[in-house]
Amino acid sequence: MTEPVKFKCVAIIGVGLIGSSLACAMRKRGLTDQIIGVDCDEGVLARAKKIGVIDDGETSLEKGVSGADLIVLSTPVGVMSDVCKALSAAADDGALIIDVGSVKGSVAKAAAALPERLHFVPCHPVAGTEQSGPEAGFASLFEDRWCILTPLVRDDEPYKAAVKRAEGLWAGVGAQVEVMDAAHHDLALAVTSHLPHLIAFTLVGAADDVESVAHGEVIKYSAGGFRDFTRIAASDPIMWRDVFLANKDAVLEVLGRFSEELAVMQRAIRWSDGKALEDAFARGRSLRRAIVDAGQEMDAPNFGRDKKER
Amino acid sequence: MTEPVKFKCVAIIGVGLIGSSLACAMRKRGLTDQIIGVDCDEGVLARAKKIGVIDDGETSLEKGVSGADLIVLSTPVGVMSDVCKALSAAADDGALIIDVGSVKGSVAKAAAALPERLHFVPCHPVAGTEQSGPEAGFASLFEDRWCILTPLVRDDEPYKAAVKRAEGLWAGVGAQVEVMDAAHHDLALAVTSHLPHLIAFTLVGAADDVESVAHGEVIKYSAGGFRDFTRIAASDPIMWRDVFLANKDAVLEVLGRFSEELAVMQRAIRWSDGKALEDAFARGRSLRRAIVDAGQEMDAPNFGRDKKER
Ligand SMILES: NC(=O)c1ccc[n+]([C@@H]2O[C@H](COP(=O)([O-])OP(=O)(O)OC[C@H]3O[C@@H](n4cnc5c(N)ncnc54)[C@H](OP(=O)(O)O)[C@@H]3O)[C@@H](O)[C@H]2O)c1
Ligand SMILES: NC(=O)c1ccc[n+]([C@@H]2O[C@H](COP(=O)([O-])OP(=O)(O)OC[C@H]3O[C@@H](n4cnc5c(N)ncnc54)[C@H](OP(=O)(O)O)[C@@H]3O)[C@@H](O)[C@H]2O)c1
């Protein structure tokens, strides 16, 4: 068991869904004395303060991170390298820095350029919803979900202690922690997250493009299966643009596998090969069973997604 | 407004998810005096009777439909043509026959071969879950969902009255009724239901095929988006095999559109065209908004899929 840890002051850079969920979770579990939000948008900070997600807001990164012993990067992946550069002078000695980005290779590269006095532990909590902004955050988002850590190749004791603190933080907000290297993370998540999102975005686009089927019909008959795709296709366009730009190679690799498999299905339909279709379709049930058994999904009509308290 | 209608005796052929949901809904709304289940499997009939879905069960189709003024075909699409042939002698004069199959062209062809004394109105309630069997049925499944009718080209008065009765039945169980021709139905549903299912089945297969990512990892990190696909990929393999065999042309057509769109996305990723990705991804939010506004989905974390009463 990893010990839960406690921080004096956490600076959340990017007070969106994930940043504010972590803020809420840390507050609820008593893991920090103070929470400062850092965001370019004053309006976002004001809203986040009003609903009690942060204690104070700062548009200046330098001011916002000064005094923080934990700094959380929860912006889209594409700006993390710039934020990292700004932190190299601004962050306090010995500060633990984590990010929550969906891609780890690119973040790890930026993190490795930081001075040794700062301890950046790249993290990815595999949990989320299709919503954005501070209002979307809720304290239980990370409970029973996995958080993957991809520590830098550094074996000095302060860094090793920082990795332990990062593990303790995630365990403290209810997540299960896994450690792996960034390249493996990026391939595994290309399979379980990036490709599914790409496919959902693509399907939604293609559906709206069949001229002889009206837009209104796509909406009316969406309960036939289509609506399940629209949930994840409603995710933030900028966040996802950054994911695909940052994880290009792995995404293209798994996309190649998908296209092969799709060609096989297409052929089975064209040749009316019922046996091949039935066999391929039968895999779905067993995989879903395994996911439900692993507690990563519920078999209830509502998927267990009850309204969450902030 | 269509008037709700009342039947003396309904025979449900195929007491699965859809058949038993219709039985439950008709009973709850007082639309029939008696419900007979017809299924090849005595065990299914016994279970359905025990939980109160049917009044009595019959393994013989001839006996089961005798005396019924409404006959519902709720088997997989592939056996409907055989069931139809059996009905041509067995069904009572003037009986209204409906089906609930996900493809209409093939069913309409079988229906057109029936004698004029029988009135077959092909129907497709666009509502369902990934579960099967009598236990999966619930009375509110059709509420606020669309039911598409594709009547035969017959303009005798008794048939026109039968179409009205079919409309009244679906309105009576809470659905909104739409009438169109079978070919248009098959294309529209290829877009909103058949293609999404094919893609989900394919993705689930492809995910399990990337050797360097372990099966266990696919399950652990499924909360990143993958699990949303596994719900519809857990649907009945036989039902779906039959759908793709019966709606081959329309499915291949929309699959072609999807593949084109996917190639465009792949190219944008390969060339790091962030603008193209962002623009394509932005369509998702607006379409989902429209689906939520149309009442076909809920914006709640649980999708509004609360536990339903039988
Ligand atoms: N959503 C998910 O399901 C999920 C799951 C796991 C990990 N992640 C990762 O979590 C991170 C945040 O995603 P999210 O879903 O929380 O997105 P979000 O709700 O859109 O939040 C992103 C926040 O970052 C802010 N931001 C953008 N550029 C910034 C900059 N240069 N400096 C400071 N703040 C900036 C945004 O501010 P403005 O509103 O003012 O633009 C916004 O408050 C991403 O890296 C994503 O890959 C997301
Ligand atoms: N599931 C959906 O989301 C959905 C939505 C709209 C329409 N539909 C359509 O509804 C129909 C039924 O689907 P479902 O989801 O209700 O499937 P289901 O739960 O598997 O039920 C199908 C039933 O048909 C029975 N059956 C199979 N072959 C038969 C035969 N030759 N004679 C008599 N009964 C037979 C099965 O009996 P055994 O159990 O004994 O094999 C089972 O009880 C399909 O045509 C499907 O396309 C489904």
Side-chain angles (χ1 to χ4, degrees):
Chain A
M1 263 311 288
T2 332
E3 290 292 300
V5 290
K6 173 100 203 239
F7 296 90
K8 280 198 327 287
C9 175
V10 45
I12 307 271
I13 307 180
V15 191
L17 165 70
I18 304 293
S20 50
S21 291
L22 187 56
C24 293
M26 289 184 74
R27 190 189 300 283
K28 196 174 165 195
R29 309 263 193 155
L31 305 184
T32 183
D33 293 329
Q34 198 190 3
I35 303 175
I36 305 297
V38 179
D39 206 289
C40 342
D41 188 332
E42 288 206 35
V44 168
L45 293 172
R47 276 153 48 206
K49 189 170 170 178
K50 192 162 167 221
I51 59 176
V53 165
I54 56 174
D55 296 314
D56 269 302
E58 252 309 336
T59 51
S60 147
L61 183 125
E62 286 69 23
K63 286 193 198 152
V65 303
S66 149
D69 53 349
L70 173 65
I71 299 170
V72 178
L73 274 60
S74 40
T75 64
V77 167
V79 300
M80 286 195 183
S81 149
D82 283 347
V83 175
C84 233
K85 274 185 205 134
L87 288 178
S88 90
D92 281 12
D93 274 352
L96 169 62
I97 306 174
I98 64 169
D99 76 307
V100 297
S102 307
V103 181
K104 298 272 62 80
S106 60
V107 175
K109 205 180 279 175
L114 285 175
E116 218 182 89
R117 65 180 191 88
L118 298 175
H119 310 304
F120 193 132
V121 182
C123 303
H124 177 202
V126 186
T129 75
E130 70 283 11
Q131 268 130 24
S132 310
E135 293 81 2
F138 57 95
S140 61
L141 178 63
F142 309 110
E143 286 171 15
D144 300 323
R145 294 289 160 264
W146 288 89
C147 183
I148 301 174
L149 271 55
T150 64
L152 305 182
V153 191
R154 263 179 73 170
D155 57 8
D156 52 304
E157 289 306 324
Y159 188 75
K160 285 201 271 184
V163 174
K164 281 266 158 291
R165 274 173 78 73
E167 290 182 6
L169 167 63
W170 289 110
V173 296
Q176 311 189 65
V177 174
E178 188 80 49
V179 175
M180 62 178 70
D181 67 66
H184 186 72
H185 167 278
D186 287 356
L187 184 63
L189 271 291
V191 171
T192 62
S193 178
H194 308 169
L195 180 64
H197 276 83
L198 184 69
I199 296 300
F201 284 126
T202 304
L203 186 78
V204 163
D208 235 10
D209 266 4
V210 179
E211 314 77 28
S212 42
V213 176
H215 183 75
E217 289 181 313
V218 172
I219 292 164
K220 270 156 93 172
Y221 311 130
S222 62
F226 184 69
R227 66 173 180 185
D228 282 46
F229 286 76
T230 65
R231 191 186 75 81
I232 68 175
S235 300
D236 189 54
I238 296 187
M239 166 190 157
W240 282 100
R241 174 201 66 192
D242 282 6
V243 167
F244 293 111
L245 296 178
N247 199 25
K248 178 157 127 171
D249 294 342
V251 168
L252 290 175
E253 181 181 333
V254 299
L255 181 52
R257 297 304 180 100
F258 174 82
S259 298
E260 263 174 40
E261 188 78 19
L262 192 61
V264 171
M265 295 289 210
Q266 186 167 11
R267 193 192 164 90
I269 294 174
R270 197 181 296 286
W271 293 96
S272 301
D273 185 347
K275 175 88 176 61
L277 292 173
E278 196 185 324
D279 290 349
F281 297 169
R283 289 185 296 190
R285 285 209 159 165
S286 59
L287 194 60
R288 180 162 177 88
R289 190 69 265 152
I291 289 173
V292 171
D293 289 347
Q296 294 306 304
E297 177 68 300
M298 270 177 151
D299 203 10
N302 68 5
F303 298 13
R305 281 171 207 157
D306 302 302
K307 189 86 196 142
K308 297 296 172 7
E309 62 169 316
R310 185 166 288 134
Chain B
M1 262 314 288
T2 332
E3 291 291 298
V5 290
K6 174 102 203 238
F7 297 89
K8 282 197 327 282
C9 173
V10 45
I12 307 270
I13 308 181
V15 190
L17 165 70
I18 305 292
S20 51
S21 290
L22 187 56
C24 293
M26 289 184 73
R27 188 188 302 283
K28 196 175 165 194
R29 310 262 193 154
L31 304 185
T32 183
D33 294 329
Q34 198 192 4
I35 302 175
I36 305 295
V38 179
D39 207 288
C40 344
D41 187 333
E42 289 207 35
V44 168
L45 293 173
R47 277 154 47 207
K49 188 169 171 180
K50 189 158 170 226
I51 60 177
V53 165
I54 56 173
D55 296 313
D56 268 304
E58 251 310 336
T59 50
S60 146
L61 184 125
E62 285 69 21
K63 285 194 199 151
V65 302
S66 147
D69 52 349
L70 173 65
I71 299 171
V72 178
L73 274 61
S74 41
T75 64
V77 167
V79 299
M80 286 194 183
S81 150
D82 283 347
V83 174
C84 234
K85 274 187 205 131
L87 288 178
S88 91
D92 281 12
D93 274 351
L96 170 62
I97 306 175
I98 64 169
D99 77 308
V100 298
S102 308
V103 181
K104 297 270 65 79
S106 60
V107 174
K109 204 179 282 174
L114 285 174
E116 220 183 90
R117 64 180 192 89
L118 298 175
H119 309 305
F120 193 131
V121 182
C123 301
H124 177 202
V126 186
T129 76
E130 70 282 13
Q131 268 130 26
S132 309
E135 292 81 2
F138 56 94
S140 61
L141 178 63
F142 310 110
E143 285 171 15
D144 300 322
R145 296 288 160 265
W146 289 89
C147 183
I148 301 174
L149 270 55
T150 64
L152 306 183
V153 192
R154 264 180 71 170
D155 58 6
D156 51 305
E157 289 307 323
Y159 188 74
K160 285 200 271 183
V163 174
K164 281 268 159 289
R165 274 173 79 71
E167 290 182 6
L169 166 64
W170 290 110
V173 296
Q176 309 188 67
V177 174
E178 188 79 49
V179 175
M180 62 178 72
D181 67 66
H184 186 73
H185 167 279
D186 287 356
L187 184 64
L189 271 290
V191 172
T192 62
S193 178
H194 309 170
L195 180 65
H197 275 84
L198 184 69
I199 296 300
F201 284 126
T202 304
L203 186 78
V204 164
D208 234 11
D209 265 5
V210 180
E211 312 78 28
S212 42
V213 175
H215 183 75
E217 288 181 313
V218 172
I219 292 163
K220 269 156 94 170
Y221 310 132
S222 61
F226 185 68
R227 66 173 179 186
D228 283 46
F229 286 76
T230 64
R231 189 185 76 80
I232 67 174
S235 300
D236 189 54
I238 294 187
M239 165 190 157
W240 282 100
R241 174 202 67 193
D242 283 6
V243 167
F244 293 111
L245 296 178
N247 200 23
K248 178 157 127 170
D249 295 340
V251 168
L252 290 175
E253 181 181 334
V254 300
L255 182 52
R257 296 302 181 103
F258 174 83
S259 298
E260 262 173 40
E261 188 78 18
L262 192 61
V264 171
M265 295 288 210
Q266 185 166 13
R267 193 191 164 93
I269 294 174
R270 197 180 296 286
W271 292 96
S272 300
D273 186 346
K275 176 86 177 62
L277 292 173
E278 197 185 323
D279 290 349
F281 297 169
R283 289 186 294 191
R285 285 208 160 165
S286 58
L287 194 60
R288 180 163 177 86
R289 191 69 264 152
I291 288 174
V292 171
D293 290 345
Q296 295 307 305
E297 176 68 301
M298 271 178 151
D299 203 11
N302 68 7
F303 300 13
R305 283 174 205 156
D306 302 302
K307 190 87 196 141
K308 298 293 171 8
E309 62 169 316
R310 182 165 292 132

